[in-house]
Amino acid sequence: MMRIAIIGTGNVAWQFANAFREKHNVEFIYGRNAKKAEQLAQSVEAAFSTSFNQIPRDLDLYLIAISDDQIESVAGQIPEVSGIVAHTSGSVDLTVIPHEKSGVFYPLQTLSKEKVVDWKKVPLCVESQHAESLEALTELGSYLSKNVQQIDSQQRRAIHLAAVFACNFSNHMMANAQELLRESELDFSILKPLIEETVEKALEVGPDNAQTGPAVRGNEKTLEKHQNLLENHARLLEIYNLVSQSIQDTQHE
């Protein structure tokens, strides 16, 4: 059983704090916003503070779950502690944490407070140059997930970049589709079966083998019709042309 402090009060902090509490002791919450820190602390029956000086020094894990741009600054303000100091980012290097027992505990999943997470299915990427810390983070991850991998910072950055393409960019494309449908007084739900089939096929045969559409078929007349429909949407037309060309170029590699 680990004694844990959570540094942060956002979505990732909430999810981890509540996931850990079933087996471990989440004893302390740090947050810049007192109200948010208190709310999270109450949900896991922990102490809280907005001061780094109040952080207990003798816990097993100090998990920094905040925005990427703030990690280095916050890590530098955490006092000398006996436990592991780890962040949860996919893109921030391990070396930004100036503590001997530094580590990374990165969940490869999009997280929000409102949605229940099936942690068993979430890949967890762990990293540390300290052997005992790496073992401890791996064991902690195994409590939550069936897929825990020891990944170095370079590999983790590659995973995070790939995840942006697969998750964030694809979601933005769906938002663009929703915008176009609204203009014709159509509901986004009409695309649900198509989206589900697209994802299922990509996972089954691989996205490189699952590509369909006018670009991959070289159907120039259809491409031109779509371009005409987008003549009053300069941003979407630019995206459409760029992605269509990328699909065609990929098919000829």
Side-chain angles (χ1 to χ4, degrees):
M1 181 178 291
M2 297 186 76
R3 301 171 63 210
I4 300 172
I6 303 291
I7 313 299
T9 57
N11 293 336
V12 178
W14 271 83
Q15 288 290 355
F16 272 136
N18 284 279
F20 290 148
R21 69 183 302 232
E22 296 183 9
K23 185 176 180 180
H24 301 279
N25 289 333
V26 179
E27 298 190 8
F28 189 84
I29 304 295
Y30 166 85
R32 291 181 301 178
N33 183 299
K35 183 177 180 180
K36 291 182 179 180
E38 182 178 12
Q39 289 175 338
L40 178 53
Q42 287 179 346
S43 75
V44 294
E45 300 178 353
F48 75 95
S49 179
T50 59
S51 171
F52 288 106
N53 292 330
Q54 297 299 314
I55 296 176
R57 310 292 180 92
D58 61 345
L59 304 184
D60 301 307
L61 174 64
Y62 301 79
L63 192 65
I64 304 172
I66 59 178
S67 63
D68 291 359
D69 292 345
Q70 299 299 317
I71 290 174
E72 185 170 5
S73 173
V74 167
Q77 296 180 69
I78 295 175
E80 287 299 319
V81 294
S82 59
I84 304 166
V85 180
H87 70 67
T88 61
S89 171
S91 63
V92 177
D93 198 276
L94 171 69
T95 59
V96 305
I97 300 179
H99 293 264
E100 178 185 1
K101 297 180 180 179
S102 60
V104 177
F105 196 80
Y106 167 55
L108 185 54
Q109 184 57 276
T110 176
L111 301 174
S112 61
K113 294 179 185 178
E114 298 77 18
K115 186 173 177 58
V116 176
V117 177
D118 185 356
W119 283 106
K120 293 298 181 185
K121 296 181 180 179
V122 177
L124 289 172
C125 303
V126 299
E127 180 183 4
S128 180
Q129 297 298 321
H130 187 265
E132 292 181 2
S133 298
L134 182 61
E135 182 179 354
L137 291 173
T138 301
E139 184 176 347
L140 177 65
S142 297
Y143 152 66
L144 292 178
S145 173
K146 294 181 179 180
N147 186 358
V148 181
Q149 299 188 38
Q150 296 179 359
I151 300 292
D152 65 32
S153 290
Q154 181 178 353
Q155 292 172 317
R156 180 162 41 82
R157 285 192 295 269
I159 291 171
H160 190 260
L161 175 58
V164 167
F165 273 90
C167 176
N168 305 136
F169 286 2
S170 62
N171 186 77
H172 181 64
M173 291 298 185
M174 287 187 281
N176 289 331
Q178 184 179 48
E179 178 184 342
L180 290 170
L181 289 172
R182 280 174 177 167
E183 291 182 0
S184 295
E185 299 182 353
L186 294 166
D187 192 86
F188 179 70
S189 62
I190 196 171
L191 293 180
K192 183 177 179 180
L194 176 64
I195 293 170
E196 290 176 340
E197 175 65 17
T198 299
V199 173
E200 183 177 334
K201 187 184 296 183
L203 294 176
E204 182 178 340
V205 303
D208 51 344
N209 294 317
Q211 188 68 58
T212 61
V216 73
R217 292 193 298 267
N219 193 329
E220 296 299 331
K221 290 184 178 179
T222 300
L223 291 171
E224 185 176 347
K225 289 179 181 177
H226 289 170
Q227 290 163 342
N228 291 336
L229 287 171
L230 292 171
E231 62 182 359
N232 294 322
H233 300 77
R235 175 179 58 85
L236 294 183
L237 178 58
E238 183 180 4
I239 293 172
Y240 183 90
N241 289 336
L242 184 62
V243 175
S244 295
Q245 188 62 55
S246 179
I247 291 171
Q248 292 176 331
D249 291 344
T250 302
Q251 296 302 312
H252 293 101
E253 287 180 353

